[in-house]
Amino acid sequence: MTKIIGLTGGIASGKSTVSNLLRLSGYPIIDADQITRQLQAAHSKGLEQLITVFGKQILNPDQTLNRQVLGSFVFNDQKKLNKLNMVMQPLIYDEIWRQIKHYQKQHIPYVILDIPLLFEANYANDCDLVIVVAVDRQTQLQRLMQRNDYSQFEAEQRINSQMSLAKKKRLADIVIDNSGNRDELKRQVANLIDQMHHHKL
Ligand SMILES: CC(C)(COP(=O)(O)OP(=O)(O)OC[C@H]1O[C@@H](n2cnc3c(N)ncnc32)[C@H](O)[C@@H]1O)[C@@H](O)C(=O)NCCC(=O)NCCS
Ligand SMILES: Nc1ncnc2c1ncn2[C@@H]1O[C@H](COP(=O)(O)OP(=O)(O)OP(=O)(O)O)[C@@H](O)[C@H]1O
């Protein structure tokens, strides 16, 4: 039976960095942010639905999704964020399960489900194990501002629109603390891989 290892965290907490390390060690990854982008491609069903809800103002001149504009709408306004989730979550769910079934058919022992809204969108029960990548708030804010070139206000809006990392940590089976440097992160991931390798997880 394929074990589903849920991987989540807060925005800019280091989820993708951890999933990249796991990918390098040969673990298959289901990446919800990447699935989201594919589902929002130009002329896709997902994008058509978003246009119906938010209007053509969310489009770039070349008809692709203007992620910055949509982001500025929804991370400002919980109602709009709920509307976005109502459009995207069912589509994301179907694609995630399509991929999980594909790995199950091949009897792959572990698959990593990398998804920011793991708890909020109720994937925890489907996971055999949930890993939360956490970081202290100040470091999270700094990394997010730096990575996305956001102002402090923009970064705080995004952090505040999510379930708190403190709560996510309480719901986790395993917490990886990424407040330190990259080597410290790598050591924790190596430890995790070691435990999976010896089927201790
Ligand atoms: C609003 C959008 C267009 C912003 O795009 P942008 O390129 O700026 O960000 P990107 O998609 O890379 O997401 C970056 C991070 O934002 C956070 N985030 C994204 N969507 C959400 C959401 N609905 N609720 C809370 N946080 C979110 C996550 O931590 C994510 O890792 C985009 O995030 C989106 O369409 N989100 C809705 C789909 C979704 O729920 N994705 C989360 C995976 S289930
Ligand atoms: N230990 C670390 N030390 C310094 N920088 C780091 C460390 N870990 C990650 N980063 C950097 O912090 C930023 C956030 O990391 P990453 O993109 O992996 O987070 P994420 O949780 O996947 O974010 P999101 O959910 O927003 O996509 C990136 O720019 C990354 O290069």
Side-chain angles (χ1 to χ4, degrees):
M1 205 41 197
T2 305
K3 282 198 174 169
I4 303 172
I5 313 286
L7 178 66
T8 193
I11 188 164
S13 67
K15 221 170 350 80
S16 311
T17 309
V18 171
S19 78
N20 282 334
L21 292 168
L22 292 167
R23 183 183 282 118
L24 285 174
S25 290
Y27 289 94
I29 314 284
I30 299 175
D31 180 337
D33 282 343
Q34 191 194 332
I35 288 172
T36 302
R37 284 197 194 93
Q38 286 165 358
L39 290 169
Q40 296 167 336
H43 312 295
S44 62
K45 187 173 121 200
L47 187 55
E48 290 306 320
Q49 288 187 42
L50 291 178
I51 296 166
T52 307
V53 175
F54 295 102
K56 288 208 166 155
Q57 46 193 348
I58 61 167
L59 292 181
N60 288 310
D62 67 357
Q63 306 299 302
T64 57
L65 175 63
N66 187 327
R67 311 183 65 81
Q68 227 176 336
V69 167
L70 182 56
S72 70
F73 286 173
V74 298
F75 294 121
N76 244 322
D77 181 334
Q78 188 62 47
K79 275 195 194 141
K80 286 187 177 148
L81 185 58
N82 291 344
K83 280 188 182 170
L84 171 65
N85 288 338
M86 275 191 310
V87 171
M88 293 312 300
Q89 288 306 326
L91 302 175
I92 295 169
Y93 182 89
D94 287 349
E95 176 57 20
I96 284 177
W97 275 99
R98 194 190 67 76
Q99 294 192 19
I100 290 175
K101 286 187 181 130
H102 161 84
Y103 291 119
Q104 284 174 335
K105 253 191 221 147
Q106 296 181 49
H107 303 287
I108 304 280
Y110 291 102
V111 59
I112 313 291
L113 175 58
D114 174 354
I115 175 162
L117 301 185
L118 185 143
F119 296 115
E120 297 91 324
N122 284 318
Y123 287 90
N125 284 335
D126 299 319
C127 295
D128 294 282
L129 187 87
V130 174
I131 301 167
V132 166
V133 184
V135 69
D136 66 68
R137 169 123 187 165
Q138 199 50 38
T139 309
Q140 180 182 24
L141 189 64
Q142 270 168 11
R143 286 183 187 157
L144 180 56
M145 287 172 68
Q146 197 164 27
R147 185 190 65 184
N148 290 48
D149 220 6
Y150 288 149
S151 66
Q152 181 165 337
F153 179 70
E154 288 173 307
E156 278 176 341
Q157 268 186 337
R158 283 165 173 79
I159 293 172
N160 293 340
S161 76
Q162 299 192 329
M163 182 191 287
S164 76
L165 266 173
K167 184 158 183 200
K168 288 184 181 176
K169 278 163 77 171
R170 284 200 297 275
L171 295 169
D173 296 307
I174 293 180
V175 176
I176 293 184
D177 188 334
N178 187 28
S179 306
N181 62 29
R182 285 175 197 276
D183 282 343
E184 286 169 293
L185 181 65
K186 273 189 191 162
R187 268 199 291 279
Q188 293 178 74
V189 176
N191 189 25
L192 179 72
I193 290 170
D194 200 47
Q195 291 189 55
M196 286 201 276
H197 194 72
H198 291 101
H199 296 283
K200 289 182 194 150
L201 293 176

